[in-house]
Amino acid sequence: MRKVYYIYNPQTQTYDRIYPTVRQRALSILRRLFYGMGLGAGCFIVLLLIFGSPSEKELRIENSRLLAQYNVLSRRLDDAMGVLQDIQQRDDNLYRVILQADPVSPAIRQAGYGGTNRYEELMDLANAKLVVNTTQKLDVLSKRLYIQSKSFDDVVDMCKNHDEMLKCIPAIQPISNKDLRQTASGYGTRIDPIYGTTKFHAGMDFSAHPGTDVYATGDGTVVKVGWETGYGNTIEIDHGFGYLTRYAHLQGFNTKVGKKVVRGEVIGKVGSTGKSTGPHLHYEVHVKGQVVNPVNYYFMDLSAEDYEKMIQLAANHGKVFD
């Protein structure tokens, strides 16, 4: 129903009807329209603030899914890192031990990324800590997988060379000593026969008649033939794979520098040159630059019983020549 407007007339004390102009009617309509639009806009804004727009709702759902996926990915990366650590342990403590190789250095396995901040562009993201942490785990896993892959390449190469390595390991006694009677003095601390002081003996001594054959204990290359202070006439053989043997106090040589020798080949003769009190052979085994007890490298010569007997003989030091 159309509204009717009246105005009070004080002179006649009656209400006179008013007929608004077109302009007034238009202004009234516009005013109502603006009030309605303002109220609607206000209600819409309140609804958006409370419930959000459909697109924002979808984005929140998507962000929630992404967050859940990142959490799952982070846990799976932790599981993968645990599996890799088990593989690394087997590599260092099984495969490389069997092949007599050094384990991969922890400094190499655990090396990180240097230089500038690799994750700076991720710091502005929502849940930046989770994203950066997960990305770091992935980078560390990728690098350690690469290092482990290279390590397995080395292990494969060592396996291919294993038969050759077995030929080169010093695995027999350097003189004929089947009954072990020539075992004179063992590896370790003892009283020096000349100076009478306690001194470390870096090898084993074998008593023998002058001119007794001395054998190469493994395949290798002769790297030294000549005189060395204290040792007298000396031969050194580089067997590769970190092994080196030394034969000292020799009477003479049956080889020369650069010659390829095989296990059991005669390389010299027992003598008493250098710092020596009687004819004998002084024999040393070096592994990766460290002198070791030769008694542990006669496994092609000795039975278990002979091995125990030689250890006892060597420990008693028997005859001491140098």
Side-chain angles (χ1 to χ4, degrees), residues 6 25 69 109 159 183 227 230 308:
Y6 296 89
R25 290 177 181 176
Q69 289 175 355
R109 285 200 185 277
C159 287
T183 305
W227 182 271
E308 293 294 335

Side-chain angles (χ1 to χ4, degrees), residues 35-318:
Y35 287 156
M37 292 175 61
L39 181 61
C43 294
F44 182 73
I45 292 172
V46 171
L47 290 174
L48 283 179
L49 292 175
I50 296 175
F51 301 105
S53 67
S55 60
E56 288 179 341
K57 186 177 181 180
E58 290 179 1
L59 286 175
R60 282 198 297 270
I61 295 174
E62 184 66 21
N63 286 338
S64 178
R65 290 175 179 170
L66 288 174
L67 182 61
Q69 289 175 355
Y70 261 104
N71 280 307
V72 171
L73 177 59
S74 180
R75 289 194 294 269
R76 293 182 66 179
L77 285 172
D78 289 336
D79 294 340
M81 190 68 73
V83 173
L84 178 59
Q85 288 175 349
D86 289 341
I87 294 173
Q88 291 171 343
Q89 289 293 327
R90 288 201 299 270
D91 182 21
D92 288 340
N93 301 319
L94 179 60
Y95 309 141
R96 288 178 172 270
V97 170
I98 292 174
L99 296 171
Q100 303 183 40
D102 292 330
V104 178
S105 168
I108 294 177
R109 285 200 185 277
Q110 300 172 9
Y113 290 93
T116 59
N117 187 354
R118 294 169 53 85
Y119 313 104
E120 186 175 0
E121 70 279 4
L122 302 177
M123 299 306 296
D124 295 331
L125 298 177
N127 302 299
K129 185 176 180 180
L130 175 61
V131 174
V132 169
N133 185 49
T134 304
T135 306
Q136 285 176 327
K137 289 180 181 179
L138 182 59
D139 287 345
V140 170
L141 180 62
S142 297
K143 185 166 186 179
R144 292 188 181 179
L145 281 172
Y146 172 77
I147 293 171
Q148 185 58 53
S149 176
K150 297 296 291 183
S151 176
F152 279 152
D153 288 342
D154 294 339
V155 169
V156 169
D157 290 338
M158 286 186 283
C159 287
K160 292 177 181 178
N161 295 327
H162 189 56
D163 290 342
E164 183 65 24
M165 182 179 70
L166 291 177
K167 295 178 183 178
C168 295
I169 293 176
I172 63 173
Q173 297 178 82
I175 66 169
S176 180
N177 187 29
K178 298 298 182 181
D179 56 8
L180 306 184
R181 293 180 181 179
Q182 277 68 46
T183 305
S185 181
Y187 174 94
T189 303
R190 65 177 196 179
I191 301 299
D192 188 281
I194 295 178
Y195 301 113
T197 58
T198 301
K199 190 175 181 181
F200 179 75
H201 187 232
M204 289 189 69
D205 290 344
F206 296 87
S207 62
H209 295 293
T212 299
D213 289 339
V214 175
Y215 306 108
T217 56
D219 295 5
T221 303
V222 178
V223 293
K224 181 172 185 177
V225 175
W227 182 271
E228 186 169 343
T229 302
Y231 288 98
N233 289 331
T234 302
I235 295 173
E236 290 183 1
I237 299 176
D238 183 355
H239 302 275
F241 305 97
Y243 293 97
L244 181 139
T245 52
R246 175 180 289 161
Y247 313 77
H249 308 300
L250 301 174
Q251 181 187 78
F253 307 117
N254 287 63
T255 190
K256 60 183 179 180
V257 173
K259 184 180 179 183
K260 304 288 185 181
V261 295
V262 297
R263 181 183 291 130
E265 182 176 336
V266 176
I267 57 173
K269 304 291 182 179
V270 171
S272 186
T273 57
K275 180 174 163 288
S276 172
T277 59
H280 74 288
L281 172 70
H282 173 84
Y283 174 66
E284 295 180 9
V285 176
H286 297 246
V287 180
K288 296 181 174 66
Q290 301 294 321
V291 64
V292 297
N293 192 341
V295 76
N296 297 318
Y297 287 86
Y298 302 140
F299 51 83
M300 292 186 67
D301 249 1
L302 304 180
S303 64
E305 294 77 12
D306 289 340
Y307 174 77
E308 293 294 335
K309 183 178 179 181
M310 174 170 276
I311 289 179
Q312 293 177 2
L313 291 171
N316 293 330
H317 294 308

